[in-house]
Amino acid sequence: SPAQRATLLTWVERGTPPGDLDRMPPPPEFPEGWSVGTPDMIFTMEEPFEVPASGVVPIQRFRVPTGLTDDVWVQKAEMQPGDRSVIHHMFVYVEP
């Protein structure tokens, strides 16, 4: 709405102050180990990717071979980055 837009633009113009910090949700907690239970299979990148300390990193695409020769059903999947502090998001695709 126009009123919501005006509120948002005013907030940006003021330098996006954080607001009431007492109302801020707690930071996310990540469990130790696997959150989907003990996996049947684990696939690992062949070589690590070093994230630079500064600058913009374009989207990276990595192929991780599974070694599977037969069709399998995937019930659950979980990705575990080596360093969560440098990961914004991850996408996984399965290719034949």
CSV table of all heavy atoms in Angstrom, one decimal, residues 30-82:
chain,number,residue,atom,x,y,z
A,30,PHE,N,22.1,-24.3,14.7
A,30,PHE,CA,22.3,-25.4,13.8
A,30,PHE,C,22.7,-26.6,14.6
A,30,PHE,O,23.6,-26.5,15.4
A,30,PHE,CB,23.4,-25.0,12.8
A,30,PHE,CG,23.0,-23.8,11.9
A,30,PHE,CD1,23.6,-22.6,12.1
A,30,PHE,CD2,22.1,-24.0,10.9
A,30,PHE,CE1,23.2,-21.5,11.3
A,30,PHE,CE2,21.8,-22.9,10.1
A,30,PHE,CZ,22.3,-21.7,10.3
A,31,PRO,N,22.1,-27.7,14.4
A,31,PRO,CA,22.4,-28.9,15.2
A,31,PRO,C,23.8,-29.4,14.9
A,31,PRO,O,24.3,-29.2,13.7
A,31,PRO,CB,21.3,-29.9,14.8
A,31,PRO,CG,20.9,-29.5,13.4
A,31,PRO,CD,21.0,-28.0,13.4
A,32,GLU,N,24.4,-30.1,15.8
A,32,GLU,CA,25.6,-30.8,15.5
A,32,GLU,C,25.3,-32.0,14.8
A,32,GLU,O,24.2,-32.7,15.0
A,32,GLU,CB,26.3,-31.2,16.9
A,32,GLU,CG,26.9,-30.0,17.6
A,32,GLU,CD,28.0,-29.3,16.9
A,32,GLU,OE1,28.9,-30.0,16.3
A,32,GLU,OE2,28.1,-28.1,17.0
A,33,GLY,N,26.1,-32.4,13.8
A,33,GLY,CA,25.8,-33.6,13.1
A,33,GLY,C,24.7,-33.5,12.1
A,33,GLY,O,24.5,-32.4,11.5
A,34,TRP,N,24.0,-34.5,11.8
A,34,TRP,CA,23.0,-34.5,10.8
A,34,TRP,C,21.6,-34.3,11.4
A,34,TRP,O,21.2,-34.9,12.4
A,34,TRP,CB,23.0,-35.9,10.1
A,34,TRP,CG,24.3,-36.2,9.4
A,34,TRP,CD1,25.3,-36.9,9.9
A,34,TRP,CD2,24.7,-35.7,8.1
A,34,TRP,NE1,26.3,-37.0,8.9
A,34,TRP,CE2,26.0,-36.2,7.9
A,34,TRP,CE3,24.1,-34.9,7.1
A,34,TRP,CZ2,26.7,-36.0,6.7
A,34,TRP,CZ3,24.8,-34.6,6.0
A,34,TRP,CH2,26.1,-35.2,5.8
A,35,SER,N,20.8,-33.4,10.8
A,35,SER,CA,19.5,-33.1,11.3
A,35,SER,C,18.5,-34.1,10.7
A,35,SER,O,17.3,-34.1,11.2
A,35,SER,CB,19.1,-31.6,11.0
A,35,SER,OG,19.0,-31.4,9.6
A,36,VAL,N,18.8,-34.8,9.7
A,36,VAL,CA,17.9,-35.7,9.0
A,36,VAL,C,18.1,-37.2,9.5
A,36,VAL,O,17.5,-38.1,9.0
A,36,VAL,CB,18.0,-35.7,7.5
A,36,VAL,CG1,17.6,-34.3,6.9
A,36,VAL,CG2,19.4,-36.1,7.0
A,37,GLY,N,18.9,-37.3,10.5
A,37,GLY,CA,19.2,-38.7,10.9
A,37,GLY,C,20.5,-39.2,10.3
A,37,GLY,O,21.1,-38.5,9.4
A,38,THR,N,21.0,-40.4,10.6
A,38,THR,CA,22.2,-40.9,10.1
A,38,THR,C,22.0,-41.2,8.6
A,38,THR,O,21.1,-42.0,8.3
A,38,THR,CB,22.7,-42.2,10.9
A,38,THR,OG1,22.8,-41.8,12.2
A,38,THR,CG2,24.0,-42.7,10.3
A,39,PRO,N,22.9,-40.6,7.7
A,39,PRO,CA,22.7,-40.9,6.3
A,39,PRO,C,23.1,-42.2,5.9
A,39,PRO,O,24.1,-42.8,6.5
A,39,PRO,CB,23.5,-39.8,5.7
A,39,PRO,CG,24.6,-39.4,6.7
A,39,PRO,CD,23.9,-39.7,8.0
A,40,ASP,N,22.5,-42.8,4.8
A,40,ASP,CA,23.0,-44.0,4.2
A,40,ASP,C,24.2,-43.8,3.3
A,40,ASP,O,25.0,-44.7,3.1
A,40,ASP,CB,21.8,-44.6,3.3
A,40,ASP,CG,20.6,-45.0,4.2
A,40,ASP,OD1,20.8,-45.5,5.3
A,40,ASP,OD2,19.5,-44.9,3.7
A,41,MET,N,24.2,-42.6,2.7
A,41,MET,CA,25.3,-42.3,1.8
A,41,MET,C,25.7,-40.8,2.0
A,41,MET,O,24.9,-40.0,2.3
A,41,MET,CB,24.9,-42.4,0.3
A,41,MET,CG,24.5,-43.8,-0.1
A,41,MET,SD,23.9,-43.7,-1.8
A,41,MET,CE,22.8,-45.1,-1.8
A,42,ILE,N,27.0,-40.6,1.9
A,42,ILE,CA,27.5,-39.2,2.0
A,42,ILE,C,28.4,-39.0,0.7
A,42,ILE,O,29.3,-39.8,0.4
A,42,ILE,CB,28.4,-39.0,3.2
A,42,ILE,CG1,27.5,-39.2,4.5
A,42,ILE,CG2,29.0,-37.6,3.2
A,42,ILE,CD1,28.3,-39.2,5.8
A,43,PHE,N,28.1,-37.9,0.0
A,43,PHE,CA,28.9,-37.5,-1.1
A,43,PHE,C,29.7,-36.2,-0.8
A,43,PHE,O,29.1,-35.3,-0.2
A,43,PHE,CB,28.0,-37.3,-2.4
A,43,PHE,CG,27.1,-38.4,-2.6
A,43,PHE,CD1,25.7,-38.3,-2.4
A,43,PHE,CD2,27.6,-39.6,-3.1
A,43,PHE,CE1,24.9,-39.4,-2.6
A,43,PHE,CE2,26.8,-40.7,-3.3
A,43,PHE,CZ,25.4,-40.6,-3.1
A,44,THR,N,30.9,-36.1,-1.2
A,44,THR,CA,31.8,-35.0,-0.9
A,44,THR,C,32.4,-34.4,-2.1
A,44,THR,O,32.7,-35.1,-3.1
A,44,THR,CB,32.9,-35.5,0.1
A,44,THR,OG1,32.3,-36.2,1.2
A,44,THR,CG2,33.8,-34.4,0.6
A,45,MET,N,32.5,-33.1,-2.1
A,45,MET,CA,33.2,-32.4,-3.2
A,45,MET,C,34.6,-32.9,-3.3
A,45,MET,O,35.3,-33.2,-2.4
A,45,MET,CB,33.3,-30.9,-2.9
A,45,MET,CG,31.9,-30.2,-3.0
A,45,MET,SD,32.0,-28.5,-2.6
A,45,MET,CE,33.2,-27.8,-3.7
A,46,GLU,N,35.1,-33.0,-4.6
A,46,GLU,CA,36.4,-33.6,-4.8
A,46,GLU,C,37.5,-32.6,-4.4
A,46,GLU,O,38.5,-33.0,-3.9
A,46,GLU,CB,36.6,-33.9,-6.3
A,46,GLU,CG,35.7,-35.1,-6.7
A,46,GLU,CD,35.7,-35.4,-8.2
A,46,GLU,OE1,35.8,-34.4,-9.0
A,46,GLU,OE2,35.7,-36.6,-8.5
A,47,GLU,N,37.2,-31.3,-4.5
A,47,GLU,CA,38.2,-30.3,-4.1
A,47,GLU,C,37.5,-29.2,-3.3
A,47,GLU,O,36.4,-28.8,-3.8
A,47,GLU,CB,39.0,-29.7,-5.3
A,47,GLU,CG,39.8,-30.7,-6.0
A,47,GLU,CD,40.6,-30.1,-7.2
A,47,GLU,OE1,40.8,-28.8,-7.1
A,47,GLU,OE2,40.9,-30.8,-8.1
A,48,PRO,N,38.0,-28.7,-2.3
A,48,PRO,CA,37.4,-27.6,-1.6
A,48,PRO,C,37.4,-26.3,-2.4
A,48,PRO,O,38.3,-26.1,-3.3
A,48,PRO,CB,38.2,-27.4,-0.3
A,48,PRO,CG,39.5,-28.0,-0.6
A,48,PRO,CD,39.3,-29.0,-1.6
A,49,PHE,N,36.5,-25.4,-2.2
A,49,PHE,CA,36.4,-24.1,-2.8
A,49,PHE,C,36.8,-23.1,-1.8
A,49,PHE,O,36.1,-23.0,-0.7
A,49,PHE,CB,35.0,-23.8,-3.4
A,49,PHE,CG,34.9,-22.4,-4.0
A,49,PHE,CD1,35.5,-22.1,-5.2
A,49,PHE,CD2,34.2,-21.4,-3.3
A,49,PHE,CE1,35.5,-20.9,-5.7
A,49,PHE,CE2,34.2,-20.1,-3.8
A,49,PHE,CZ,34.8,-19.9,-5.0
A,50,GLU,N,37.8,-22.3,-2.0
A,50,GLU,CA,38.3,-21.3,-1.1
A,50,GLU,C,37.5,-20.0,-1.4
A,50,GLU,O,37.6,-19.4,-2.5
A,50,GLU,CB,39.8,-21.0,-1.2
A,50,GLU,CG,40.6,-22.2,-0.8
A,50,GLU,CD,40.6,-22.5,0.6
A,50,GLU,OE1,40.4,-21.6,1.5
A,50,GLU,OE2,40.6,-23.7,1.0
A,51,VAL,N,36.8,-19.5,-0.4
A,51,VAL,CA,36.0,-18.2,-0.5
A,51,VAL,C,37.0,-17.1,-0.1
A,51,VAL,O,37.5,-17.1,1.0
A,51,VAL,CB,34.8,-18.3,0.4
A,51,VAL,CG1,34.0,-17.0,0.3
A,51,VAL,CG2,33.9,-19.4,0.1
A,52,PRO,N,37.1,-16.1,-1.0
A,52,PRO,CA,38.0,-14.9,-0.7
A,52,PRO,C,37.4,-14.1,0.5
A,52,PRO,O,36.2,-14.1,0.7
A,52,PRO,CB,38.0,-14.1,-1.9
A,52,PRO,CG,36.9,-14.5,-2.7
A,52,PRO,CD,36.5,-15.9,-2.3
A,53,ALA,N,38.3,-13.5,1.2
A,53,ALA,CA,37.9,-12.7,2.4
A,53,ALA,C,37.1,-11.5,2.1
A,53,ALA,O,36.3,-11.0,2.9
A,53,ALA,CB,39.2,-12.2,3.2
A,54,SER,N,37.1,-11.0,0.8
A,54,SER,CA,36.3,-9.8,0.5
A,54,SER,C,36.0,-9.9,-1.0
A,54,SER,O,36.6,-10.7,-1.8
A,54,SER,CB,37.1,-8.5,0.8
A,54,SER,OG,38.2,-8.4,0.0
A,55,GLY,N,35.1,-9.1,-1.5
A,55,GLY,CA,34.7,-9.0,-2.9
A,55,GLY,C,33.5,-9.8,-3.1
A,55,GLY,O,32.9,-10.4,-2.2
A,56,VAL,N,33.1,-9.8,-4.4
A,56,VAL,CA,31.9,-10.5,-4.8
A,56,VAL,C,32.3,-11.8,-5.5
A,56,VAL,O,33.2,-11.9,-6.3
A,56,VAL,CB,31.1,-9.7,-5.8
A,56,VAL,CG1,29.9,-10.4,-6.4
A,56,VAL,CG2,30.6,-8.4,-5.2
A,57,VAL,N,31.7,-12.9,-5.1
A,57,VAL,CA,31.9,-14.2,-5.6
A,57,VAL,C,30.8,-14.6,-6.5
A,57,VAL,O,29.6,-14.7,-6.0
A,57,VAL,CB,32.2,-15.3,-4.5
A,57,VAL,CG1,32.4,-16.7,-5.2
A,57,VAL,CG2,33.3,-14.9,-3.6
A,58,PRO,N,31.0,-14.8,-7.8
A,58,PRO,CA,29.9,-15.2,-8.6
A,58,PRO,C,29.4,-16.6,-8.2
A,58,PRO,O,30.0,-17.3,-7.5
A,58,PRO,CB,30.5,-15.3,-10.1
A,58,PRO,CG,31.9,-15.3,-9.9
A,58,PRO,CD,32.2,-14.7,-8.5
A,59,ILE,N,28.2,-16.9,-8.7
A,59,ILE,CA,27.6,-18.2,-8.3
A,59,ILE,C,28.5,-19.3,-8.8
A,59,ILE,O,29.1,-19.3,-9.9
A,59,ILE,CB,26.2,-18.4,-9.0
A,59,ILE,CG1,25.2,-17.4,-8.4
A,59,ILE,CG2,25.7,-19.8,-8.9
A,59,ILE,CD1,23.9,-17.4,-9.1
A,60,GLN,N,28.8,-20.3,-7.9
A,60,GLN,CA,29.6,-21.4,-8.2
A,60,GLN,C,28.8,-22.6,-8.5
A,60,GLN,O,27.8,-22.9,-7.8
A,60,GLN,CB,30.6,-21.6,-7.0
A,60,GLN,CG,31.4,-20.5,-6.6
A,60,GLN,CD,32.4,-20.1,-7.8
A,60,GLN,OE1,33.2,-21.0,-8.2
A,60,GLN,NE2,32.4,-18.9,-8.2
A,61,ARG,N,29.2,-23.5,-9.4
A,61,ARG,CA,28.6,-24.7,-9.7
A,61,ARG,C,29.6,-25.8,-9.6
A,61,ARG,O,30.6,-25.8,-10.2
A,61,ARG,CB,28.0,-24.7,-11.1
A,61,ARG,CG,26.8,-23.7,-11.2
A,61,ARG,CD,26.3,-23.6,-12.6
A,61,ARG,NE,25.2,-22.7,-12.7
A,61,ARG,CZ,25.3,-21.4,-12.8
A,61,ARG,NH1,26.5,-20.8,-12.9
A,61,ARG,NH2,24.2,-20.6,-12.9
A,62,PHE,N,29.2,-26.8,-8.8
A,62,PHE,CA,30.1,-28.0,-8.6
A,62,PHE,C,29.4,-29.3,-8.9
A,62,PHE,O,28.2,-29.4,-8.5
A,62,PHE,CB,30.6,-28.0,-7.1
A,62,PHE,CG,31.3,-26.7,-6.6
A,62,PHE,CD1,30.5,-25.8,-5.9
A,62,PHE,CD2,32.6,-26.5,-6.9
A,62,PHE,CE1,31.1,-24.7,-5.4
A,62,PHE,CE2,33.2,-25.3,-6.5
A,62,PHE,CZ,32.4,-24.4,-5.8
A,63,ARG,N,30.1,-30.2,-9.5
A,63,ARG,CA,29.5,-31.5,-9.8
A,63,ARG,C,30.2,-32.4,-8.8
A,63,ARG,O,31.4,-32.5,-8.7
A,63,ARG,CB,29.8,-31.9,-11.2
A,63,ARG,CG,29.0,-31.2,-12.2
A,63,ARG,CD,29.3,-31.6,-13.6
A,63,ARG,NE,28.6,-30.8,-14.6
A,63,ARG,CZ,27.7,-31.3,-15.4
A,63,ARG,NH1,27.4,-32.6,-15.4
A,63,ARG,NH2,27.0,-30.5,-16.2
A,64,VAL,N,29.3,-33.2,-8.1
A,64,VAL,CA,29.8,-34.1,-7.1
A,64,VAL,C,29.4,-35.5,-7.6
A,64,VAL,O,28.2,-35.9,-7.6
A,64,VAL,CB,29.3,-33.8,-5.7
A,64,VAL,CG1,29.8,-34.9,-4.7
A,64,VAL,CG2,29.6,-32.4,-5.3
A,65,PRO,N,30.4,-36.3,-8.0
A,65,PRO,CA,30.0,-37.7,-8.5
A,65,PRO,C,29.5,-38.5,-7.4
A,65,PRO,O,30.0,-38.5,-6.2
A,65,PRO,CB,31.3,-38.2,-9.1
A,65,PRO,CG,32.4,-37.4,-8.6
A,65,PRO,CD,31.8,-36.0,-8.2
A,66,THR,N,28.5,-39.3,-7.7
A,66,THR,CA,27.9,-40.2,-6.6
A,66,THR,C,28.5,-41.6,-6.7
A,66,THR,O,28.5,-42.4,-5.8
A,66,THR,CB,26.4,-40.3,-6.8
A,66,THR,OG1,26.1,-40.9,-8.0
A,66,THR,CG2,25.8,-38.9,-6.7
A,67,GLY,N,28.9,-42.0,-7.9
A,67,GLY,CA,29.4,-43.4,-8.1
A,67,GLY,C,28.2,-44.4,-8.2
A,67,GLY,O,28.5,-45.6,-8.4
A,68,LEU,N,27.0,-43.9,-8.2
A,68,LEU,CA,25.9,-44.8,-8.2
A,68,LEU,C,25.7,-45.3,-9.7
A,68,LEU,O,25.8,-44.5,-10.6
A,68,LEU,CB,24.6,-44.1,-7.8
A,68,LEU,CG,24.5,-43.6,-6.3
A,68,LEU,CD1,23.3,-42.7,-6.1
A,68,LEU,CD2,24.5,-44.8,-5.4
A,69,THR,N,25.4,-46.6,-9.8
A,69,THR,CA,25.2,-47.2,-11.2
A,69,THR,C,23.8,-47.6,-11.4
A,69,THR,O,23.4,-47.9,-12.5
A,69,THR,CB,26.1,-48.4,-11.4
A,69,THR,OG1,25.9,-49.3,-10.3
A,69,THR,CG2,27.6,-47.9,-11.3
A,70,ASP,N,23.0,-47.7,-10.3
A,70,ASP,CA,21.6,-48.0,-10.4
A,70,ASP,C,20.7,-46.9,-9.9
A,70,ASP,O,21.1,-46.0,-9.1
A,70,ASP,CB,21.3,-49.3,-9.5
A,70,ASP,CG,22.0,-50.5,-10.0
A,70,ASP,OD1,22.1,-50.7,-11.2
A,70,ASP,OD2,22.5,-51.2,-9.1
A,71,ASP,N,19.4,-46.9,-10.3
A,71,ASP,CA,18.5,-45.8,-9.9
A,71,ASP,C,18.2,-46.0,-8.4
A,71,ASP,O,18.2,-47.2,-7.9
A,71,ASP,CB,17.2,-45.9,-10.6
A,71,ASP,CG,17.3,-45.5,-12.1
A,71,ASP,OD1,18.3,-44.9,-12.4
A,71,ASP,OD2,16.4,-45.8,-12.8
A,72,VAL,N,18.1,-45.0,-7.6
A,72,VAL,CA,17.8,-45.0,-6.2
A,72,VAL,C,16.8,-44.0,-5.9
A,72,VAL,O,16.6,-43.0,-6.6
A,72,VAL,CB,19.1,-44.8,-5.3
A,72,VAL,CG1,20.1,-45.9,-5.5
A,72,VAL,CG2,19.7,-43.4,-5.6
A,73,TRP,N,16.0,-44.2,-4.8
A,73,TRP,CA,15.0,-43.2,-4.3
A,73,TRP,C,15.7,-42.4,-3.2
A,73,TRP,O,16.4,-43.0,-2.4
A,73,TRP,CB,13.8,-43.9,-3.7
A,73,TRP,CG,12.9,-44.5,-4.7
A,73,TRP,CD1,12.8,-45.8,-5.1
A,73,TRP,CD2,11.9,-43.8,-5.5
A,73,TRP,NE1,11.9,-46.0,-6.1
A,73,TRP,CE2,11.3,-44.7,-6.4
A,73,TRP,CE3,11.5,-42.5,-5.6
A,73,TRP,CZ2,10.3,-44.4,-7.3
A,73,TRP,CZ3,10.5,-42.1,-6.5
A,73,TRP,CH2,9.9,-43.1,-7.3
A,74,VAL,N,15.6,-41.1,-3.3
A,74,VAL,CA,16.1,-40.2,-2.2
A,74,VAL,C,14.9,-39.8,-1.3
A,74,VAL,O,14.0,-39.2,-1.8
A,74,VAL,CB,16.8,-39.0,-2.8
A,74,VAL,CG1,17.3,-38.0,-1.7
A,74,VAL,CG2,17.9,-39.4,-3.7
A,75,GLN,N,15.0,-40.2,-0.1
A,75,GLN,CA,14.0,-39.8,0.9
A,75,GLN,C,14.2,-38.5,1.5
A,75,GLN,O,13.3,-37.7,1.8
A,75,GLN,CB,13.8,-40.9,1.9
A,75,GLN,CG,12.7,-40.8,2.8
A,75,GLN,CD,12.5,-42.0,3.7
A,75,GLN,OE1,13.5,-42.7,4.0
A,75,GLN,NE2,11.3,-42.3,4.2
A,76,LYS,N,15.5,-38.3,1.9
A,76,LYS,CA,15.9,-37.0,2.6
A,76,LYS,C,17.3,-36.6,2.0
A,76,LYS,O,18.1,-37.5,1.7
A,76,LYS,CB,16.0,-37.1,4.1
A,76,LYS,CG,14.7,-37.5,4.7
A,76,LYS,CD,14.9,-37.6,6.2
A,76,LYS,CE,13.6,-38.1,6.9
A,76,LYS,NZ,13.8,-38.3,8.4
A,77,ALA,N,17.6,-35.4,2.1
A,77,ALA,CA,18.9,-34.9,1.7
A,77,ALA,C,19.3,-33.7,2.6
A,77,ALA,O,18.4,-32.9,3.0
A,77,ALA,CB,18.9,-34.5,0.2
A,78,GLU,N,20.5,-33.6,2.9
A,78,GLU,CA,21.0,-32.5,3.7
A,78,GLU,C,22.4,-32.1,3.2
A,78,GLU,O,23.2,-33.0,2.9
A,78,GLU,CB,21.1,-32.9,5.2
A,78,GLU,CG,21.6,-31.8,6.1
A,78,GLU,CD,21.6,-32.2,7.5
A,78,GLU,OE1,20.9,-33.2,7.9
A,78,GLU,OE2,22.2,-31.5,8.3
A,79,MET,N,22.7,-30.8,3.1
A,79,MET,CA,24.0,-30.3,2.7
A,79,MET,C,24.7,-29.8,4.0
A,79,MET,O,24.0,-29.1,4.8
A,79,MET,CB,23.9,-29.2,1.7
A,79,MET,CG,23.5,-29.7,0.3
A,79,MET,SD,21.9,-30.3,0.1
A,79,MET,CE,20.9,-29.0,0.5
A,80,GLN,N,25.9,-30.0,4.1
A,80,GLN,CA,26.7,-29.5,5.2
A,80,GLN,C,28.0,-28.8,4.7
A,80,GLN,O,28.9,-29.5,4.4
A,80,GLN,CB,27.1,-30.6,6.2
A,80,GLN,CG,25.9,-31.2,7.0
A,80,GLN,CD,26.3,-32.0,8.2
A,80,GLN,OE1,27.5,-32.2,8.4
A,80,GLN,NE2,25.4,-32.4,9.0
A,81,PRO,N,27.9,-27.5,4.7
A,81,PRO,CA,29.1,-26.7,4.2
A,81,PRO,C,30.2,-26.9,5.2
A,81,PRO,O,30.0,-27.0,6.4
A,81,PRO,CB,28.6,-25.3,4.1
A,81,PRO,CG,27.5,-25.2,5.0
A,81,PRO,CD,26.8,-26.6,5.0
A,82,GLY,N,31.5,-26.7,4.7
A,82,GLY,CA,32.6,-26.8,5.7
A,82,GLY,C,32.6,-25.6,6.6
A,82,GLY,O,33.1,-25.7,7.7
